[in-house]
Structures are given as C-alpha cells and as structure tokens.
Amino acid sequence: MIDSLNRNAERWALIVFYVMLVAAMFIEVLRREILAYSSIWGEEIVRYAFIYLAWIGAAAAVRERAHIRIDVILHYLGNRTRTLLYIFGDLVMVAVALIALYWSFETVLVSAKFGSVTHGLRISQVWFLAAVPVGFALVCFRLVQSMIRDLGDLRHQRPVFKGNRLFD
C-alpha cells in the first residue's frame, strides 16, 4: 500500500483538484449564462484548486523527472557524468526549495496569527496559503528520493533514470 501511495499519491491529488476546478468553472459558467448570476465562492474554489494543482504537479514532475529542462548536452555525456549532473541539479533545487519552504511557511504563520479568512468562503486563509509550503515540502521529499535513486544507480553502475511522462 505504501508503494502504491508513493507511486500514485500526487496523481490522485492532481485528478481530484483538476475535477474540482473544472466542475466549479462549469457550474459558474452555467450560472452566469443561464441565471445571469455568479458567486464569489466559485471563483475562489477555482483559484485555490489551481494553486494546489500547480504545487502538487511540481512535486509529481520532480518525481518523474518530467519537469521542463534543457537536456541536449546530457545525450552526449557518459552515464556517470550524466548521473552526477542530475545529482548536482537536485542538490541546487533542494537548496532553493528549502529557502522557499522557509519563507512560504512564514506567510502561513502570519496568516494564522492574524486569523485572515477568504472573502467568499469565509474559511481560514491558512488552508490555501499552505499550498505553497506543502508543495515545496513534497518537492524536497521527491528530490531526496531522486538523489537516493541516482546514487544507487551510480553505485551499481546502472543507467540513470532519465524520466517519464506524468500521464501516459
């Protein structure tokens, strides 16, 4: 079960947030066109579902090495050099993600301290601001997994994992 969760957790979360986003947009378009009425909550649900979708998608892309990169040179390098470059890139990204995680978590704490709420849903803003630190924490977790996988490939002289597409 843990292995299945490790492989598919982001995919299921992405599907949930995507369906939520599309359903809320569809309902809001119908309400605007048929009833000439729109709501604040629909717009907020779409906005916050999109934010979670983006951050969880970033973690899923890191896990599958499906994020945007320029890898033309990597095709001409040996396996050992390619693996070391992947590990170096992951280390740089971990450093950036940890800094961003720290600063984004501070924003969540400030919002919790002052009790800010969303305009339409009247729900604590913390739940929505938490998307950024949750996303960066998932990115850090997936980067550590990637580095462990790459070090194992390097140690056992296996070809480095070049990546998959998110949805095949």
Side-chain angles (χ1 to χ4, degrees):
M1 183 174 155
I2 291 175
D3 185 48
S4 176
L5 189 62
N6 184 41
R7 280 184 282 118
N8 299 314
E10 285 100 346
R11 288 181 186 193
W12 285 107
L14 288 172
I15 289 170
V16 166
F17 283 111
Y18 188 71
V19 167
M20 184 186 315
L21 184 143
V22 170
M25 279 194 316
F26 179 75
I27 290 168
E28 284 303 303
V29 168
L30 287 180
R31 289 175 70 166
R32 285 181 188 173
E33 296 301 320
I34 296 172
L35 303 174
Y37 173 77
S38 65
S39 64
I40 296 173
W41 64 265
E43 180 187 329
E44 282 190 356
I45 286 175
V46 169
R47 181 183 322 132
Y48 297 128
F50 185 75
I51 292 169
Y52 269 98
L53 189 71
W55 288 109
I56 294 170
V62 166
R63 181 188 182 283
E64 298 294 332
R65 278 212 171 109
H67 52 288
I68 296 172
R69 66 179 181 267
I70 300 171
D71 59 356
V72 174
I73 286 183
L74 293 178
H75 296 294
Y76 299 107
L77 299 175
N79 186 55
R80 180 176 172 77
T81 308
R82 186 181 310 131
T83 304
L84 290 172
L85 279 174
Y86 277 135
I87 292 170
F88 176 73
D90 287 347
L91 285 171
V92 170
M93 189 59 203
V94 164
V96 170
L98 287 173
I99 292 167
L101 177 65
Y102 173 78
W103 288 107
S104 64
F105 192 67
E106 184 176 321
T107 305
V108 173
L109 292 176
V110 168
S111 179
K113 179 180 177 181
F114 292 107
S116 60
V117 295
T118 63
H119 298 291
L121 296 171
R122 309 304 290 166
I123 297 174
S124 176
Q125 191 84 28
V126 170
W127 294 106
F128 305 111
L129 291 174
V132 180
V134 165
F136 275 117
L138 281 171
V139 165
C140 288
F141 176 70
R142 292 305 186 180
L143 284 167
V144 169
Q145 282 184 326
S146 175
M147 286 187 290
I148 291 170
R149 178 187 56 218
D150 291 345
L151 287 171
D153 290 343
L154 188 63
R155 186 176 320 123
H156 299 297
Q157 298 178 346
R158 293 185 300 243
V160 68
F161 176 68
K162 293 180 184 174
N164 292 325
R165 291 194 172 108
L166 278 180
F167 294 98
D168 286 330

